[in-house]
Amino acid sequence: MRFDVLIADEDYSSLNDFTSYSNEKLKNITINFSIDSDKIIKDIENLDLIVLNTDLDNYNEIVNYSMKNNIYVILLIDKNIDLNKNSKYIDYVYKPINDTELLYKIEEYTNILKQDIIYKQEQEVSNSIINNITNPIFSTDGNKVLFANDYFYKLTNCSSLDMINQKYNDIGNIFIEHENCFTNLNNNWLEQCSLQTLNVCIENQENENSFFALQKISLTHNNTDIILLNDISHEIKHKKELYRLLYTDNLTDLPNRSMLIKELQNDKNLILASICILDINSFKEINDFYGHKAGDLILIELGKLIKRHMQEYSNLKLYKFPSDTYCITNTKNNKEEFLKTIEKILETSYKTVFNFDQYEIDVRLTAGMSFSHKNNKLITADIALQSAKKDHKDYMIFYDELDKFQEYENNMLWTKKLKSAFVKDNIEVYFQPLINNKTLKVDKYECLVRLIDEDGKVVAPFFFLDISKRSNQYTKLTKIVIEKSFKKFEHLPFEFSVNISYEDIEDPEFLVFIKEMLAEYDIAKKVVFEILEDENVKNYSLLISFIDEIKTLGCKVAIDDFGSGYSNFEHLLKMNVDYLKIDASLIKNIATDENSYKITKTIVEFAKNLNLQTIAEYVENKEIFELTKELGVDFSQGYYFSEPIADPKLTHFIKGDNYE
């Protein structure tokens, strides 16, 4: 690179002598001489440095032009002159000055020019890189934007830094209020994003909400921060759609059973005084005779009819349960008012004629109500509904006294059986294979508890598991299954899973027991702990901490029954798990129910985005198996392959129930 230097001083009129001298000392510098003010001003844009004697006519005009064009000026002044020039482009030396001193000054400033050029080149390269990054980026001192790339200009619909800083008097005000997003209420967004990843919502140029995760890079040398905005709008939209599929009935757009369970789980202040379950009589016959479009119309219109009778009562809420069932919840302890409302709904639905094409369709509802003081109103209302159908009544009401004796008798029987099984070592573990959907090989087994009755009959946990929890024998049962499973698989080439619950995790001694078992049996790399994330989870921090501890020991973790209605996607994102086990209620209906298929598909896509593997349980036939493979599920488990067996020796699925 060459630099053009102009010397404007009559003392250097001997051009030839100075030029030959300077050429020996300075390289890549062209020195010219002129004292013509007009010519200097005319050519000033082509110069890099001016050496200017203050005795020259119009020297102030030359200085102003130089500063305007960012040209460095070295002023030659007398010692008795007080120069009032405050600019990084202005320097001076006192006369008289010799050639060596002048050359030193010229060399000093040409070196500065070199650094300026290098800095500008580096800045152009870095700006080019930043502008080609497809994320919005800006730098800030905490109050205003100092730099922004093209994508940030586009996001804010601004064309300059001035426009951005005028539009947002504090840059934190760009973040607008939205559910689960950070807002700059306390002007502390920079501090907050140092402590955690912030999700923010920004209104884009189309006045639509865009969602970003903030990443901050601090620059210590000038006390500024670079902010990188990672677009997570697709993830948010995907999550909302998944939420809608899981918690809303696709046909009626009413909240579904899963939503009711979620509300009961998350809101400890939500206490239901009563519940009513309504079912359409002979709905299958309506579908078979008039067609599914007519059936869908009935479901939609009946939902509207029920809502009309509820709209004056803020304490009532309507849910659409699977198939042809509705549920009304009541938070107000007024039995007579609730009963009258249900009777009115039953009467109106019976008198209403639903029109479809040329057909007039009559509908009749049956209701089951529960005012039970126990925490089982859904179950007891369903019991009342089934009893009403059996007795051909419009409705029945369940009260606690109806089942106390039978429940007590059943509990005592199975508590006695469990105690006997513990004493006689009649708690056994059975094993159900999990098939790799790509290789059709048995890669894993699930360990399932069984009780051997006194007559040698193998009893499934359905009959005794809940009783074990009520009789404080559940933890003992879990520990037996873990120890026997660890011993069985210590010398087998399979991964295996054991089921644990939140009740186990709550017990501080349980983790100690696991560590003892892992020390005794060398199976840490093989074991998967299946955790049921249900309504009993009160402390997700404890659950997440347990998972992290288990993972550090070398074990894997699966979330069981995912999609059953208790699944919390927000908490799942914080859990370091390996597998999602899709709930049987979805898989068993995947071939016949469109909503089950859509939810399963969404769960599989969601899992793949998180690099989680999926397991389909309750794969009972070839059609279900083929659909799970088509959706990209990684493993399958169910009676299509094998029932739970006493000895895990199956290695390969061939056809039906044939193995190698």
Side-chain angles (χ1 to χ4, degrees):
M1 60 186 74
R2 293 196 64 85
F3 298 101
D4 290 313
V5 178
L6 175 71
I7 298 177
D9 182 19
E10 292 181 349
D11 291 343
Y12 284 91
S13 56
S14 180
L15 176 62
N16 293 331
D17 292 341
F18 185 79
T19 301
S20 59
Y21 176 71
S22 62
N23 285 341
E24 295 177 8
K25 302 294 182 181
L26 303 176
K27 303 298 182 184
N28 300 321
I29 296 176
T30 301
I31 296 179
N32 295 297
F33 298 85
S34 177
I35 57 174
D36 185 342
S37 300
D38 293 336
K39 185 177 186 304
I40 293 172
I41 292 172
K42 181 180 178 183
D43 297 337
I44 205 163
E45 292 181 1
N46 300 318
L47 299 175
D48 298 299
L49 175 65
I50 299 175
V51 180
L52 179 63
N53 195 323
T54 54
D55 292 334
L56 196 68
D57 293 339
N58 298 331
Y59 96 89
N60 268 316
E61 187 178 359
I62 296 173
V63 169
N64 291 334
Y65 268 94
S66 300
M67 291 172 61
K68 184 178 178 181
N69 289 276
N70 298 331
I71 307 297
Y72 287 103
V73 178
I74 301 172
L75 294 175
L76 306 178
I77 65 173
D78 295 322
K79 290 186 178 181
N80 59 349
I81 294 179
D82 183 17
L83 187 69
N84 186 19
K85 294 289 184 183
N86 185 17
S87 170
K88 74 171 188 174
Y89 293 101
I90 304 297
D91 196 1
Y92 58 90
V93 293
Y94 292 113
K95 298 186 290 185
I97 185 169
N98 60 46
D99 292 349
T100 303
E101 187 178 358
L102 181 58
L103 286 177
Y104 175 80
K105 270 292 181 183
I106 292 173
E107 186 174 23
E108 178 185 346
Y109 274 92
T110 52
N111 285 332
I112 292 173
L113 287 166
K114 288 177 185 176
Q115 293 303 317
D116 285 350
I117 291 171
I118 292 170
Y119 173 75
K120 287 177 181 177
Q121 289 174 341
E122 290 176 347
Q123 194 173 47
E124 287 175 2
V125 171
S126 61
N127 287 350
S128 176
I129 292 171
I130 290 173
N131 278 322
N132 280 285
I133 294 174
T134 56
N135 297 73
I137 298 174
F138 66 92
S139 66
T140 178
D141 58 2
N143 297 313
K144 62 181 181 179
V145 174
L146 306 175
F147 166 81
N149 71 346
D150 292 343
Y151 287 91
F152 189 76
Y153 283 124
K154 185 177 179 182
L155 173 66
T156 57
N157 199 25
C158 295
S159 58
S160 68
L161 291 178
D162 287 339
M163 281 186 67
I164 293 174
N165 291 316
Q166 286 175 8
K167 186 174 182 180
Y168 310 104
N169 57 351
D170 185 304
I171 187 59
N173 295 337
I174 189 176
F175 312 131
I176 64 175
E177 189 171 351
H178 198 277
E179 182 183 8
N180 299 323
C181 286
F182 176 83
T183 51
N184 191 35
L185 295 178
N186 300 316
N187 297 319
N188 65 341
W189 67 278
L190 271 175
E191 178 185 345
Q192 288 298 314
C193 66
S194 298
L195 303 173
Q196 60 183 315
T197 300
L198 298 183
N199 289 346
V200 297
C201 179
I202 299 174
E203 189 175 78
N204 62 24
Q205 68 272 26
E206 281 87 25
N207 297 323
E208 298 172 344
N209 290 339
S210 294
F211 300 92
F212 300 89
L214 288 192
Q215 181 180 353
K216 185 178 91 168
I217 303 170
S218 295
L219 304 178
T220 55
H221 70 280
N222 59 0
N223 293 322
T224 61
D225 297 290
I226 295 177
I227 306 300
L228 176 65
L229 298 169
N230 296 301
D231 195 336
I232 57 171
S233 300
H234 179 74
E235 296 172 32
I236 298 292
K237 182 180 179 182
H238 187 80
K239 184 178 177 181
K240 286 179 67 176
E241 179 62 20
L242 191 58
Y243 188 93
R244 192 192 69 79
L245 283 170
L246 282 172
Y247 298 119
T248 307
D249 178 69
N250 197 39
L251 181 65
T252 63
D253 210 31
L254 291 169
N256 61 15
R257 187 179 188 276
S258 296
M259 176 59 85
L260 174 57
I261 299 298
K262 181 177 181 292
E263 290 171 349
L264 290 171
Q265 176 191 2
N266 292 346
D267 188 354
K268 302 305 179 185
N269 296 319
L270 179 59
I271 299 174
L272 301 181
S274 54
I275 279 181
C276 175
I277 297 178
L278 298 145
D279 188 80
I280 304 174
N281 296 347
S282 304
F283 186 69
K284 184 178 184 301
E285 284 73 13
I286 293 175
N287 271 332
D288 291 344
F289 189 82
Y290 297 104
H292 286 280
K293 286 187 177 180
D296 290 348
L297 173 73
I298 297 295
L299 292 173
I300 294 169
E301 294 302 318
L302 199 54
K304 294 177 181 177
L305 182 151
I306 296 170
K307 284 198 78 171
R308 283 197 296 272
H309 283 81
M310 295 167 47
Q311 60 187 4
E312 62 180 289
Y313 304 107
S314 60
N315 54 295
L316 302 182
K317 188 171 180 179
L318 177 62
Y319 300 83
K320 175 65 176 64
F321 278 17
S323 187
D324 56 339
T325 307
Y326 301 84
C327 176
I328 300 173
T329 62
N330 173 34
T331 56
K332 184 178 177 182
N333 194 17
N334 189 326
K335 293 183 181 180
E336 291 185 7
E337 182 183 89
F338 187 63
L339 183 57
K340 285 181 180 179
T341 303
I342 301 304
E343 287 176 339
K344 189 66 177 176
I345 290 170
L346 294 174
E347 180 185 354
T348 306
S349 64
Y350 179 63
K351 292 179 179 179
T352 300
V353 176
F354 296 92
N355 296 299
F356 176 76
D357 289 343
Q358 73 272 27
Y359 303 112
E360 293 183 343
I361 305 173
D362 296 315
V363 170
R364 189 156 197 155
L365 293 174
T366 300
M369 282 174 274
S370 174
F371 298 92
S372 172
H373 296 295
K374 299 178 180 180
N375 191 23
N376 61 356
K377 290 185 178 65
L378 277 173
I379 297 172
T380 50
D382 189 61
I383 291 172
L385 174 66
Q386 302 310 319
S387 298
K389 283 187 169 186
K390 184 179 178 181
D391 295 343
H392 303 288
K393 294 183 177 181
D394 287 341
Y395 67 85
M396 282 192 71
I397 301 171
F398 182 95
Y399 292 98
D400 293 340
E401 292 74 15
L402 293 179
D403 73 334
K404 274 185 177 177
F405 179 78
Q406 184 178 358
E407 182 181 344
Y408 174 79
E409 191 175 46
N410 186 61
N411 288 353
M412 290 298 294
L413 171 66
W414 283 103
T415 300
K416 184 178 179 181
K417 284 180 179 287
L418 265 174
K419 287 182 177 178
S420 175
F422 286 139
V423 172
K424 297 178 181 180
D425 193 24
N426 279 344
I427 300 297
E428 293 293 342
V429 181
Y430 271 50
F431 312 92
Q432 190 168 30
L434 277 72
I435 306 300
N436 186 310
N437 284 350
K438 291 182 179 178
T439 64
L440 298 184
K441 289 183 178 180
V442 178
D443 280 4
K444 316 172 192 302
Y445 279 92
E446 182 180 5
C447 303
L448 302 165
V449 65
R450 294 292 185 267
L451 184 149
I452 310 302
D453 211 341
E454 292 179 355
D455 59 1
K457 182 182 177 182
V458 179
V459 181
F462 171 82
F463 296 96
F464 60 86
L465 200 60
D466 285 343
I467 304 298
S468 73
K469 293 179 181 179
R470 293 181 207 149
S471 59
N472 296 320
Q473 299 179 96
Y474 178 78
T475 300
K476 186 176 181 180
L477 197 64
T478 303
K479 289 181 177 179
I480 291 173
V481 172
I482 287 175
E483 185 166 8
K484 289 191 174 186
S485 300
F486 280 23
K487 185 176 181 180
K488 173 68 76 172
F489 284 91
E490 187 176 26
H491 302 296
L492 291 175
F494 302 105
E495 193 173 88
F496 68 98
S497 62
V498 291
N499 292 284
I500 61 175
S501 70
Y502 181 75
E503 287 89 340
D504 295 319
I505 294 169
E506 272 188 317
D507 182 1
E509 296 300 316
F510 184 69
L511 187 58
V512 176
F513 169 77
I514 289 176
K515 290 179 179 179
E516 290 173 353
M517 290 295 100
L518 290 173
E520 185 174 349
Y521 300 98
D522 185 22
I523 48 76
K525 300 295 183 183
K526 299 179 185 179
V527 65
V528 179
F529 288 96
E530 285 192 23
I531 302 173
L532 180 64
E533 189 204 12
D534 61 12
E535 74 273 26
N536 294 319
V537 178
K538 304 177 188 69
N539 184 347
Y540 272 96
S541 296
L542 176 65
L543 178 60
I544 292 168
S545 176
F546 175 85
I547 291 172
D548 290 340
E549 185 78 21
I550 286 296
K551 296 280 288 184
T552 60
L553 296 173
C555 309
K556 294 181 180 178
V557 177
I559 297 298
D560 197 11
D561 290 351
F562 193 80
S564 64
Y566 304 113
S567 307
N568 193 313
F569 289 87
E570 181 179 354
H571 288 122
L572 179 64
L573 293 171
K574 301 175 184 176
M575 295 181 194
N576 184 19
V577 302
D578 304 281
Y579 302 102
L580 288 187
K581 200 164 189 181
I582 304 171
D583 186 60
S585 64
L586 295 172
I587 299 300
K588 70 181 181 181
N589 295 316
I590 197 172
T592 57
D593 181 67
E594 184 180 358
N595 215 30
S596 294
Y597 180 91
K598 286 181 178 178
I599 293 174
T600 303
K601 182 180 180 182
T602 304
I603 290 173
V604 173
E605 291 174 354
F606 178 77
K608 288 186 184 300
N609 285 334
L610 295 180
N611 294 319
L612 304 180
Q613 291 189 301
T614 48
I615 301 168
E617 53 184 348
Y618 211 94
V619 179
E620 301 302 284
N621 54 53
K622 184 177 180 180
E623 185 179 13
I624 293 175
F625 176 51
E626 293 297 334
L627 283 172
T628 59
K629 283 202 302 180
E630 174 189 308
L631 289 175
V633 177
D634 299 294
F635 301 94
S636 293
Q637 175 184 358
Y639 276 58
Y640 177 59
F641 308 103
S642 171
E643 63 184 12
I645 54 180
D647 198 4
K649 290 184 178 178
L650 303 178
T651 61
H652 196 85
F653 174 72
I654 299 177
K655 185 178 180 182
D657 55 356
N658 298 317
Y659 289 83
E660 289 183 340

